[in-house]
Amino acid sequence: MKKLLMISAVALALSGCCSQKFTVVGTTVPTVPTYTGVSHFIFWGLGQSLTVDPKEICGSKGIRSIETHMTFIDGVANSITFGIYAPRSYSVYCNR
C-alpha cells in the first residue's frame, strides 16, 4: 500500500509540468534570460490574465524569445493549495 501511494504521488507531481515557448524565426536563443518574473493567479487562473510587454523590456535591442513555464516551486505551491494559488514563471530573452 505504501509503495502504491508513493508511486501515485510521484506520478501526480510529474504530470503537472508544462511550458510554452515563442521564438523569433531564424534566431538562436541565449541560455540566460534577460528578464524573469512570476505571475500570481488564484483559483487555477480561471478568467485571469497577465500581460507582459517584451518590447518594453527589451527596448531597441529586439526580442529573441518568450517562455512561460511551471517551475518545481510553482508546482509545489499549486499542489499544496489544490490550485487555489497557481503561480506561473516567465522569461524574456532579448538580443544582445
Side-chain angles (χ1 to χ4, degrees), residues 4-24:
L4 178 64
L5 185 62
M6 182 61 93
I7 291 171
S8 298
V10 169
L12 182 65
L14 293 177
S15 67
C17 298
C18 60
S19 68
Q20 297 173 335
K21 191 170 196 172
F22 304 97
T23 305
V24 177

Side-chain angles (χ1 to χ4, degrees), residues 33-55:
T34 306
Y35 182 81
T36 59
V38 177
S39 52
H40 305 279
F41 298 113
I42 57 171
F43 298 111
W44 309 276
L46 295 174
Q48 301 170 47
S49 65
L50 173 74
T51 303
V52 177
D53 188 6
K55 231 174 152 178

